[in-house]
Amino acid sequence: MVVLSDLPEGSSSSSSTHGYSSSARVHTPSTHGHNSSTHNHRYDVFLSFRGVDTRHSFTDHLHKALIDANISTFLDDEEIETGEDLKPELESAIKASRASIIILSKNYASSTWCLDELVLILEQRMTSNHIIVPIFYHVEPTHVRKQQSSFGDAMAKHKRTMEAEINADKRSQLAQKMNRWNKALTQVADLKGNDINGRLETEFIEEIVKDIHCRLHVHLRSVGPQLIGMNYHINFVTSWLKDGSSHTVDILTIYGIGGIGKTSLARHVYGLYSHEFHRSSYIEDITRKCGGKFNGLLDLQEKLCNDISKTSSIKVHDVSVYTTKIQNALALKRVFLFLDDINTLVQLDALLGSKGFHPGSKIIITTKDSWLTESCALFKTNIKPKHERHLLQGLGYSASLQLLSSHAFVCNQPKAGYEEVSDKLVKYCEGHPLALEVLGKSLHNRDVAYWEGCIEGLKKEISSPINNVLKMSFDTLPSKNNKDLFKYIACFLLE
């Protein structure tokens, strides 16, 4: 199989020239991104399949699993007919994809469109490092290679169609096509493929998705504006997640003030790797959901229980009963949990319990108070989990300027004439991602005079969007000393 070559990813912009550097607690390996040619690709995967065989079964399940794993996938929504040239949109989709999964089912070769797809896919493999994953769906590879059984019957039918063609030019074109089809079937059967015979389809699909996910380096796509300057943190969390040396469950607590990027970071990593675990659950905005509704914690427990057990159950109305159900489910499977914005021990104890987890499980907790994690019931047992803390601080100056520019100018740097006002606002925000985002959006398409007015207004207008963001962060600081320091810094930046 051909694997895309790796190129070094651009260096992180989190280094500081104004002292706003992100924390750097451990050394992490360098990352790699896509081949430069992939920037022109619209899809990660093109699915080639015979509709009458698998459209409403295996292909549909595989397509959903790929989409759920954040793998952009092209699936033709029309039944393939024989006797016509390949649709232009299918040809374009193949060329716009980084890889193809070819589902070689019983009637695959009966479709001229499928065979034309196969020829083009193999051509892409030779010219553009296109990755091919053959799946032998209840067919023997040797039958594909030698055109035997249903593949032999289909090719014999195509041959009869060709011989019956009375137009000499068309007959010659069909003969050339058949020659390409025969060679393509032989070539694809010689590639390393995946045979589903004797396998559970769910487990088989999980393996296919995991293989594609890793080989396409999907987890190393360019990050969006909300993750600018977060390369170090993404690498750190990824490295922690991939470390399987511990025999007990691993817990990572990501902490920092509100709006600093904890949720965005954890959500990003969760989306990349949740499919690699037996079960996974994403519980976001816990503090708000628990505080805004009488049964908020019960609702979150129900969601977590359903995610990790995958079985229907009678709804209960007792936190302790749900905790027991969650504990029992967590002990059986290797899980990946994301618990976002925890602020009380009651929440942690209700969602994690105290019995422990299956080996290899991973839990990410985001909170403003890192003390909470090791104070929960789980850490009062004889076998304590392995725990790591990771602090998120403000972005570096370069990353801050890039983030502000991405929202204010829709580019990576200030427009000509806006350099000075951008510099002032970057200093004002002190590397706070949410503040930079809110301010950048509010100043989009505004002239320099408006920016200057905004800077003056920030010094006195307490109801402006940026002050609301900073006030939220101020209110979440854990101690009076920290709040005094925050006010001192804010006043200093406005001088």
Side-chain angles (χ1 to χ4, degrees), residues 356-454:
F357 301 81
H358 191 279
S361 293
K362 297 278 188 177
I363 294 96
I364 295 180
I365 295 169
T366 66
T367 181
K368 303 172 187 75
D369 187 354
S370 65
W371 167 85
L372 286 170
T373 304
E374 292 193 11
S375 301
C376 72
L378 190 63
F379 282 82
K380 298 174 183 177
T381 59
N382 292 331
I383 304 178
K384 294 178 175 58
K386 182 180 177 183
H387 180 225
E388 180 80 27
R389 292 183 178 91
H390 188 69
L391 172 65
L392 281 194
Q393 296 176 314
L395 297 176
Y397 179 83
S398 297
S400 297
L401 185 62
Q402 184 181 353
L403 182 57
L404 177 70
S405 300
S406 70
H407 292 290
F409 309 114
V410 198
C411 60
N412 291 330
Q413 58 188 7
K415 291 168 59 176
Y418 287 80
E419 295 87 353
E420 184 176 348
V421 289
S422 297
D423 178 71
K424 290 179 181 179
L425 289 174
V426 165
K427 291 177 180 178
Y428 173 82
C429 290
E430 181 61 15
H432 193 285
L434 185 56
L436 290 159
E437 179 181 345
V438 170
L439 189 55
K441 288 179 177 178
S442 69
L443 293 172
H444 178 61
N445 279 338
R446 301 288 190 175
D447 58 28
V448 174
Y450 187 94
W451 280 58
E452 292 284 5
C454 178

Side-chain angles (χ1 to χ4, degrees), residues 15-234:
S15 60
S16 174
T17 57
H18 282 245
Y20 313 147
S21 60
S22 300
S23 60
R25 301 176 60 215
V26 297
H27 173 74
T28 55
S30 61
T31 59
H32 295 80
H34 288 164
N35 181 288
S36 60
S37 66
T38 65
H39 296 302
N40 297 322
H41 290 138
R42 294 173 55 199
Y43 309 105
D44 290 319
V45 171
F46 177 90
L47 284 178
S48 179
F49 65 99
R50 184 66 170 109
V52 295
D53 288 346
T54 65
R55 176 181 294 280
H56 301 298
S57 53
F58 179 80
T59 296
D60 180 61
H61 300 154
L62 176 60
H63 178 250
K64 182 180 185 303
L66 289 166
I67 296 300
D68 289 345
N70 196 34
I71 298 171
S72 172
T73 306
F74 180 90
L75 174 78
D76 183 34
D77 59 1
E78 295 182 13
E79 193 65 48
I80 294 177
E81 301 292 342
T82 60
E84 299 179 18
D85 290 334
L86 186 64
K87 291 193 297 183
E89 54 265 38
L90 291 180
E91 182 175 348
S92 297
I94 291 171
K95 293 180 178 179
S97 299
R98 302 173 56 209
S100 290
I101 297 178
I102 304 167
I103 303 171
L104 296 157
S105 58
K106 179 180 179 181
N107 294 298
Y108 184 89
S110 66
S111 166
T112 58
W113 280 7
C114 283
L115 293 171
D116 283 343
E117 285 177 6
L118 180 61
V119 170
L120 181 56
I121 289 168
L122 288 166
E123 289 177 356
Q124 292 298 110
R125 174 178 181 263
M126 299 302 296
T127 60
S128 63
N129 286 338
H130 192 89
I131 293 175
I132 298 178
V133 179
I135 294 176
F136 299 99
Y137 189 77
H138 301 300
V139 299
E140 295 296 328
T142 186
H143 292 166
V144 179
R145 181 181 298 107
K146 298 181 179 180
Q147 287 94 67
Q148 297 174 342
S149 189
S150 62
F151 284 79
D153 295 340
M155 296 309 292
K157 184 177 180 180
H158 294 318
K159 184 178 181 180
R160 290 194 295 271
T161 301
M162 179 267 294
E163 292 174 340
E165 176 58 59
I166 58 176
N167 184 296
D169 290 338
K170 289 185 177 180
R171 186 166 61 251
S172 176
Q173 292 174 4
L174 286 173
Q176 293 175 21
K177 268 195 171 188
M178 284 203 62
N179 184 50
R180 291 195 294 269
W181 294 342
N182 285 321
K183 289 181 178 179
L185 288 170
T186 300
Q187 290 174 10
V188 75
D190 286 337
L191 295 176
K192 182 180 178 181
N194 302 270
D195 192 341
I196 197 174
N197 289 333
R199 305 284 305 281
L200 291 174
E201 285 197 2
T202 52
E203 293 182 358
F204 183 74
I205 286 174
E206 284 181 6
E207 289 184 10
I208 296 297
V209 172
K210 182 177 180 180
D211 178 54
I212 285 288
H213 211 275
C214 293
R215 296 177 65 192
L216 291 183
H217 304 289
V218 174
H219 59 289
L220 297 171
R221 283 174 175 156
S222 298
V223 296
Q226 71 276 17
L227 291 177
I228 286 173
M230 299 287 279
N231 286 343
Y232 165 75
H233 300 292
I234 293 171

